Amino acid sequence: MTNALIYLIVMIAVAAVVFLLAALVFGRGEELAPLPPGASPTRLPSDDITEDDVRDLKFQQVFRGYKMSEVDWALQRLATEVETLRARVAELEDRETSEHGA
């Protein structure tokens, strides 16, 4: 009987230590307030994206990482912005070349 009681106390102590370590590592289970349906924490301006906009970009976390649809959307927006900027640079370079060539 004494051995069973000691084993029980040791098992409870080990379980308490494991629980406390898990609580320290993973937090206490607080949850953020839910977003409204269809809302996303991912924000980018409609045009003229700056480097700070990209640095401040946040994605909704899901079970295995980030929400893929939000990442895809942000990458598409950034690709469009890069494409627009490259076209503008090419236009300005062509204009400068034609002005110096004339």
Side-chain angles (χ1 to χ4, degrees), residues 34-45:
L35 291 171
S40 166
T42 309
R43 302 274 189 260
L44 282 174

Side-chain angles (χ1 to χ4, degrees), residues 1-99:
M1 178 73 174
T2 324
N3 283 343
L5 186 58
I6 290 174
Y7 287 134
L8 180 62
I9 291 172
V10 169
M11 286 176 42
I12 290 172
V14 168
V17 168
V18 168
F19 175 78
L20 290 174
L21 286 174
L24 287 173
V25 171
F26 298 111
R28 296 176 299 181
E30 299 96 358
E31 291 186 22
L32 296 174
L35 291 171
S40 166
T42 309
R43 302 274 189 260
L44 282 174
S46 59
D47 56 0
D48 296 331
I49 296 173
T50 67
E51 61 275 3
D52 288 333
D53 294 328
V54 176
R55 283 189 192 99
D56 294 339
L57 193 57
K58 302 287 184 243
F59 297 103
Q60 182 178 355
Q61 290 188 340
V62 292
F63 181 67
R64 295 181 58 196
Y66 294 110
K67 192 170 183 181
M68 187 179 291
S69 62
E70 291 182 0
V71 175
D72 290 344
W73 171 83
L75 290 174
Q76 182 61 43
R77 285 278 298 112
L78 294 172
T80 301
E81 188 73 16
V82 168
E83 181 181 20
T84 302
L85 291 173
R86 286 181 185 250
R88 181 70 176 140
V89 167
E91 176 187 324
L92 292 172
E93 286 175 345
D94 288 345
R95 185 183 303 164
E96 185 177 312
T97 303
S98 65
E99 288 175 1

